Amino acid sequence: MALSLDQLMAETVLELSLATPTSHDLMKRTIRWVASTELVDPAPFLQGGELLLTTGACIQADDQESWQNFVSRLKRKRVAAIGFGCGLTHADVPRALVESATAVDLPVLSVPYNVPFVRISEFVAEMTVADRFKDMGRASNLAAELAQLMSNNAPLMTLLKRIAKEIGGEAAILDIDGKVVATWPLHQEWQTGLVLQGLATSGTTGYHAVPLDQAGAHDHILVGHSEMAVESVRMAMSAAATLVAIDLTRRLQEEPSNATRMAAVLASLTDWTTPTSTLVRALRVAGFRSDVPTVVLLAAPKPAFSAGYSLRLRLAVEQVLPVVRSVRSGELLVLLAQGGTGDTAGKVLEVLRREMPGRAIVVAGPARDAEEIRMVLASARGMITDELARPQRSRPFDLTSIVAAAAGRGGQHAAREVLRPLIDHDAKTDGQLMHTLSTYLRLDAKQHATAEALHVHRNTLRYRLAQIGKLLEADLDSLDTLVICSLALRLYDAAGH
């Protein structure tokens, strides 16, 4: 524990006394080092946290303005306190200094003539060195614990939790744009300005920022917020930074290294003609078990796709499920995740609504086998729209999932045969019957809404519907016909037509 002002005052051999009314909280302020000066403006030579010793040789006792300026400069540098040597230039601590320091809550200690400044410096140095050894031991233990967590494939959030505990505060990783990649506690919000201030002030503001460039995690910063002694936090953060950078770099490199395997999985999932045995092998190669429940996620990153978005989403899911793989599919991001117990999909949704509340993400599953993964993935795709404004969970059973279940069993061929009269008609006449039927079904068979969506008169729509009914030899007022047509269109679309 770093030396505090009240501990310094308690050392009777130093014979120090308070010259200013000072609160209990201010007396808990820690002393980083001791500096002696007789300069009117010593601020350029200070780093913050010092006990500044002076006899006030360059300022007259009653020069109120000079003392105010002197105190203001020290306050801005976040000096811990002023130690004023009495009996040399001034018999006592000048009233103007006491008033100026009291106004800005900067403690002033009265140092008697018989106590040389060097005695105070030696005492603080001895205490500081002892604390450094303790801090080094704690930092070493922290590094060993983080290394052990990493060897057990602990989530990055667990590493941040351990760091936050060590510094008695909060810890986070931010990217170069100031966006939070991961944080502990989970609800903690970080302001980029305060983080940058931590970089500039070496943590004297309570914010500590360490760039993670040393292990390849470029453009990322480890940040801590703590009221503990600056040097104690700084040493802990430095010990943790290299290990966090290694772990983060590994995670950043995982996605491209797994891209080929995950691309094969996605191709098998979306190609309905791929045998189940082939899909199972692809899942196994990508690190998944076919007999373990799998949660599927689809995300539409906005305004643009980024590696930072992908990493943040994976880290959020890892809070619930330890095995997470992702792959990009056009403008969508597809994630498969396994592990955990209970309603894992519900738990993931809860985390995402907390961590990424305004994102277009669909959570589906858990799927119990390879074929069911196909079903829930198709269902999730059907829910990803421009209107989706927050994470949602897909329905476990809908038309899209039924289509996915049937698509690999001859369903596509049958669907095409059902729709062939319309397909052939449109090909010969450059017609719009397929599009009209699709829009009509999408809008729940509402003629007025369909006519508006197609920008045609209602009589034109009625004529087209009559044509469709005649070509299909079916009654479009029949519920059975509408269901069959809807399934056929979805299977037809699933085949990529």
Side-chain angles (χ1 to χ4, degrees):
M1 186 68 182
L3 180 68
S4 61
L5 283 174
D6 56 359
Q7 289 175 320
L8 182 69
M9 295 288 297
E11 184 59 34
T12 56
V13 71
L14 300 180
E15 302 180 38
L16 303 176
S17 60
L18 269 172
T20 54
T22 305
S23 68
H24 175 75
D25 289 341
L26 283 179
M27 292 306 293
K28 292 298 180 183
R29 182 178 291 173
T30 57
I31 300 171
R32 188 183 63 80
W33 201 243
V34 177
S36 300
T37 185
E38 297 303 334
L39 298 174
V40 175
D41 181 13
F45 308 99
L46 302 174
Q47 293 184 349
E50 295 93 349
L51 170 64
L52 186 76
L53 303 177
T54 184
T55 64
C58 294
I59 304 177
Q60 296 295 323
D62 58 354
D63 190 346
Q64 187 77 39
E65 182 178 358
S66 294
W67 284 119
Q68 285 178 344
N69 292 335
F70 181 75
V71 168
S72 295
R73 295 185 186 106
L74 299 184
K75 180 70 175 181
R76 285 195 295 271
K77 290 298 286 190
R78 297 178 177 82
V79 166
I82 298 173
F84 194 87
C86 301
L88 293 171
T89 306
H90 305 283
D92 295 305
V93 181
R95 178 179 295 276
L97 170 59
V98 173
E99 291 175 352
S100 299
T102 301
V104 297
D105 285 334
L106 181 61
V108 176
L109 313 182
S110 176
V111 183
Y113 176 79
N114 60 300
V115 177
F117 284 174
V118 68
R119 185 183 300 172
I120 299 174
S121 298
E122 288 175 347
F123 176 78
V124 173
E126 289 174 1
M127 295 294 292
T128 301
V129 169
D131 283 336
R132 291 295 180 274
F133 278 112
K134 292 180 183 178
D135 290 340
M136 288 173 62
R138 291 177 59 188
S140 178
N141 290 336
L142 173 62
E145 289 185 35
L146 293 178
Q148 182 63 42
L149 289 170
M150 289 168 59
S151 67
N152 293 330
N153 293 319
L156 183 58
M157 212 70 66
T158 302
L159 305 187
L160 293 180
K161 181 179 180 180
R162 179 63 187 87
I163 296 169
K165 179 181 178 182
E166 183 66 32
I167 65 175
E170 300 91 27
I173 295 174
L174 275 62
D175 64 17
I176 195 171
D177 297 319
K179 296 179 180 178
V180 176
V181 174
T183 180
W184 188 271
L186 298 174
H187 301 290
Q188 177 69 17
E189 294 184 2
W190 296 82
Q191 299 180 26
T192 304
L194 295 176
V195 174
L196 294 176
Q197 195 176 32
L199 276 171
T201 61
S202 299
T204 56
T205 60
Y207 285 86
H208 305 257
V210 183
L212 298 180
D213 295 335
Q214 63 267 45
H218 303 292
D219 299 334
H220 289 83
I221 301 172
L222 176 64
V223 183
H225 179 227
S226 173
E227 299 301 323
M228 287 176 57
V230 172
E231 290 301 324
S232 299
V233 178
R234 185 181 297 161
M235 195 168 293
M237 295 287 288
S238 297
T242 300
L243 291 164
V244 171
I246 293 171
D247 191 71
L248 181 60
T249 300
R250 175 180 64 82
R251 295 174 188 278
L252 289 169
Q253 293 173 346
E254 272 182 353
E255 187 168 324
S257 66
N258 288 328
T260 302
R261 292 186 287 271
M262 281 301 296
V265 171
L266 187 61
S268 298
L269 288 170
T270 54
D271 182 359
W272 312 114
T273 62
T274 301
T276 302
S277 58
T278 302
L279 173 56
V280 169
R281 279 198 302 273
L283 287 168
R284 189 179 298 117
V285 170
F288 295 105
R289 291 174 55 185
S290 59
D291 59 341
V292 172
T294 304
V295 173
V296 178
L297 293 93
L298 248 67
K302 295 179 181 179
F305 191 98
S306 70
Y309 176 94
S310 175
L311 176 63
R312 185 180 176 191
L313 181 56
R314 285 173 52 208
L315 292 176
V317 176
E318 281 183 2
Q319 294 180 37
V320 179
L321 301 168
V323 181
V324 185
R325 304 283 188 272
S326 64
V327 63
R328 184 172 177 177
S329 175
E331 295 303 316
L332 297 178
L333 185 65
V334 181
L335 284 83
L336 302 184
Q338 290 184 342
T341 58
D343 182 16
T344 50
K347 293 176 182 177
V348 168
L349 181 63
E350 182 181 348
V351 169
L352 293 178
R353 285 183 172 175
R354 183 178 65 228
E355 301 293 313
M356 306 177 74
R359 300 291 189 169
I361 304 171
V362 175
V363 181
R368 292 163 296 182
D369 55 37
E371 283 297 334
E372 196 172 354
I373 295 176
R374 279 180 167 157
M375 293 176 61
V376 299
L377 175 60
S379 179
R381 280 187 181 276
M383 287 187 62
I384 286 285
T385 63
D386 293 336
E387 291 75 27
L388 193 63
R390 69 167 187 158
Q392 296 281 1
R393 186 170 182 176
S394 70
R395 294 177 292 274
F397 184 75
D398 59 10
L399 283 177
T400 304
S401 61
I402 295 171
V403 169
R409 301 180 175 89
Q412 289 181 5
H413 176 74
R416 184 176 179 84
E417 290 305 306
V418 169
L419 299 171
R420 182 173 296 281
L422 304 184
I423 297 170
D424 292 344
H425 174 275
D426 286 350
K428 292 176 182 178
T429 64
D430 196 23
Q432 296 288 318
L433 296 188
M434 284 284 286
H435 180 54
T436 298
L437 179 60
S438 176
T439 305
Y440 182 62
L441 294 174
R442 179 172 58 84
L443 296 176
D444 300 324
K446 295 176 181 176
Q447 291 191 13
H448 179 72
T450 304
E452 285 189 348
L454 294 174
H455 305 292
V456 299
H457 193 274
R458 291 183 68 178
N459 289 336
T460 302
L461 175 63
R462 291 192 188 99
Y463 173 74
R464 288 186 185 178
L465 293 176
Q467 275 189 299
I468 292 171
K470 183 178 179 179
L471 288 169
L472 295 180
E473 298 180 355
D475 180 7
L476 287 185
D477 291 329
S478 165
L479 178 59
D480 282 351
T481 298
L482 294 177
V483 170
I484 290 171
C485 288
S486 180
L487 284 170
L489 280 168
R490 289 171 184 263
L491 282 166
Y492 184 77
D493 290 341
H497 296 292

